[in-house]
Amino acid sequence: MKFVIKLFPEITIKSTSVRKQMTKILRQNLQNIFRRHAISVDVQNRWDSLIVLVNRDDDAARRQTIQILSHTPGIAAALEVTEFTFTTLDEAYQRVRDSYRERVAGKTFCVRIKRAGQHDFTSHQAEIYMGGGFLKETEALRVSLHNPEVVVLAELRNDKVQVVQQTIKGLGGYPLGSQGEVLSLISGGFDSTVASYLMTRRGLKTHFCFFNLGGSAHEIGVKQVSHYLWSTFGESHRVKFVTVPFENVVTEILTNVDTGQMGVVLKRMMLRAASRVAESLNTPALVTGEAVAQVASQTITNLAVIDEVADRMVLRPLAAMDKQDIIDTARRIGTEMFAATMPEYCGVISVNPTTVGDRSKVDVAEAKFNFDVLEQALAEASYQRIDDVLSGAESGLENVDIITTPGLNDVIIDIRHPSEAADAPLTLTNNSVLAIPFYDLDNRANELTKQQPDTRFLLYCQKGTMSKIHAHHLMSEQRGNFAVFMEPGFVKPVYKAEASDSSED
């Protein structure tokens, strides 16, 4: 299998040295990820793209490859191509025609050809030649240059013809690790998960810092969504998950701080603690999911007062986003389910919270706070590698059954996003496959188990993480018999960091 990787457009306009460096990082990131999934590939560097040659030709490897290429920062698009030797334009046309004959039948189309090398024709002339051939020799309806139903794509590069079988939309952004590191304050809700994703997409290696205000259920939920974000969008690099126990800090605030200043003081304590954690990780910036005016503590004056205690840059990628836009993004990237079911704990709720930040009033409120409590919380902070946070028995995920050979009566539920499922369909010979995206599964689970009470439902996604979390959630609520389906060829990945990986312990 062969894929041509098109770079994020902002990379292509960089200087030659910067472009080469980013391309080198993206190539290394892809090699790391494929190695994690035990898929042998050869990633070749070309000036305007990368070439990924997959040394397997089975459906499982193809699905995994598409998942990786569509979720790796720095990639604008990936073209799945079939390559032939170029001899004449007519023979190239025949290759393209045979690949697209069924797809253009009864539909409008246009031909788009990219060409590189020495040929006795231009790209435009090749498009006209092939377009005329399609009209004569296929059942295509007509040419439509502006709004075609099918775009016929091919590239002629020197002595090769690359027929594009499909175009896979990429994540965009910059290669992970090319822009440095940040520490994201994550609570597991809509805002902090989307903020963490946006930083990862922008090429920033994103560590996670969770302030536990009380309750193990919340901590487990945040670990699950953090692991999901990392394994889906950032697994080329190791990152840390840091838990800071903040129960006693909350108690101290409730006991000694004026009620109108509680929210602002809590945020300031979090930034103080996060700055210390970032210092220990040698990370220059903090990330929060705050949006201007979303709640009382997020007015511009309050945010200014809160930021005064941080000795690191504070990035707020959601500052100007509307709540619905944030929720829509969470749904698109797969964190909506986590946020909607997150067992939030809110121990600091002001009756009449201040909306106008006043440094003098905050100073008076904090003068009554015992900072030894904050120091104790930092001393008890727990640092874990993100790939280890779900390995403990307390996560509950180890109790989920993993099935590689389904029984004849098992029903497979493909919970991937519809676009992912369309790019790499799951087809099984002996079992029916239902397509229910992860964001609809919780709503439809009761209907399924009511209709088929004795059926075992096996959840399927590309990497298994999302399936494990959903199966554990449904089983814990006793909503039916759910397990996880993983293809026999899947090998549990073992990560070996490259010497160039700055994420070593």
Side-chain angles (χ1 to χ4, degrees), residues 19-43:
R19 179 171 176 169
K20 285 183 176 179
Q21 179 64 15
M22 287 192 176
T23 305
K24 179 181 178 181
I25 293 173
L26 177 56
R27 178 173 178 267
Q28 183 66 62
N29 290 350
L30 287 171
Q31 289 174 330
N32 285 346
I33 297 172
F34 278 106
R35 188 180 300 112
R36 284 188 60 84
H37 295 278
I39 298 177
S40 173
V41 299
D42 181 20
V43 184

Side-chain angles (χ1 to χ4, degrees), residues 55 89 97 110 150 164-165 173 215 237 240 258 292 295 320 332 366 371 375-376 382 407 453 455 460 475 486:
N55 299 320
L89 179 59
R97 177 202 61 198
C110 72
V150 177
V164 179
Q165 302 301 332
H237 290 67
K240 295 290 188 182
D258 175 69
V292 173
V295 296
R332 178 170 56 83
E366 288 188 347
F371 279 85
E375 292 297 326
Q376 185 62 34
S382 169
T455 298
Y460 171 80
M475 290 291 286
M486 299 186 77

Side-chain angles (χ1 to χ4, degrees), residues 109-251:
F109 76 100
C110 72
V111 179
R112 294 285 182 259
I113 302 296
K114 288 189 176 181
R115 188 188 59 80
Q118 298 296 320
H119 302 99
D120 58 358
F121 53 86
T122 66
S123 297
H124 184 57
Q125 289 172 334
E127 291 171 351
I128 294 174
Y129 183 88
M130 293 189 186
F134 269 80
L135 289 174
K136 291 179 180 178
E137 299 181 5
T138 74
E139 297 179 4
L141 185 61
R142 58 183 172 82
V143 173
S144 175
L145 297 179
H146 300 293
N147 190 30
E149 294 176 272
V150 177
V151 178
V152 177
L153 295 173
E155 296 193 7
L156 306 179
R157 290 188 171 272
N158 299 313
D159 62 342
K160 300 295 182 183
V161 181
Q162 294 178 344
V163 183
V164 179
Q165 302 301 332
Q166 71 164 327
T167 300
I168 302 153
K169 181 177 173 57
L171 197 62
Y174 291 117
L176 189 60
S178 65
Q179 306 304 312
E181 304 183 21
V182 294
L183 177 68
S184 179
L185 281 62
I186 189 163
S187 67
F190 292 103
D191 302 337
S192 63
T193 56
V194 171
S196 300
Y197 157 77
L198 291 174
M199 291 294 97
T200 299
R201 180 184 179 275
R202 200 62 180 173
L204 290 151
K205 181 178 164 184
T206 303
H207 303 275
F208 301 96
C209 184
F210 169 61
F211 293 97
N212 194 341
L213 305 183
S216 60
H218 189 189
E219 181 176 353
I220 291 172
V222 176
K223 284 182 175 179
Q224 289 178 350
V225 71
S226 299
H227 187 278
Y228 168 78
L229 285 168
W230 168 76
S231 66
T232 305
F233 304 108
E235 67 176 346
S236 59
H237 290 67
R238 285 178 178 168
V239 298
K240 295 290 188 182
F241 183 92
V242 183
T243 301
V244 183
F246 244 49
E247 298 95 327
N248 292 337
V249 175
V250 169
T251 300

Side-chain angles (χ1 to χ4, degrees), residues 260-261 263-264 267-268 295-308 316 353-358 362:
Q261 303 295 331
V264 172
K267 292 290 183 67
R268 281 165 64 95
V295 296
S297 65
Q298 295 176 20
T299 62
I300 197 70
T301 51
N302 274 339
L303 291 175
V305 171
I306 291 168
D307 281 1
E308 289 176 343
R316 293 184 172 90
T354 181
T355 58
V356 181
D358 188 324
V362 173

Side-chain angles (χ1 to χ4, degrees), residues 264-372:
V264 172
V265 170
L266 176 62
K267 292 290 183 67
R268 281 165 64 95
M269 296 301 168
M270 288 180 172
L271 280 196
R272 285 188 174 100
S275 295
R276 295 273 292 277
V277 172
E279 181 181 11
S280 70
L281 297 175
N282 196 28
T283 302
L286 306 176
V287 176
T288 79
E290 293 160 319
V292 173
Q294 189 176 114
V295 296
S297 65
Q298 295 176 20
T299 62
I300 197 70
T301 51
N302 274 339
L303 291 175
V305 171
I306 291 168
D307 281 1
E308 289 176 343
V309 302
D311 62 4
R312 295 288 192 276
M313 176 189 295
V314 181
L315 300 173
R316 293 184 172 90
L318 310 186
M321 289 183 67
D322 298 331
K323 188 67 176 184
Q324 189 57 52
D325 293 336
I326 296 170
I327 293 174
D328 291 343
T329 303
R331 180 178 300 116
R332 178 170 56 83
I333 66 176
T335 61
E336 181 190 32
M337 179 277 298
F338 296 98
T341 60
M342 192 64 62
E344 293 276 5
Y345 175 87
C346 188
V348 179
I349 302 177
S350 300
V351 177
N352 295 303
T354 181
T355 58
V356 181
D358 188 324
R359 172 64 185 274
S360 60
K361 291 182 179 179
V362 173
D363 286 343
V364 171
E366 288 188 347
K368 302 175 183 179
F369 184 90
N370 180 3
F371 279 85
D372 290 340

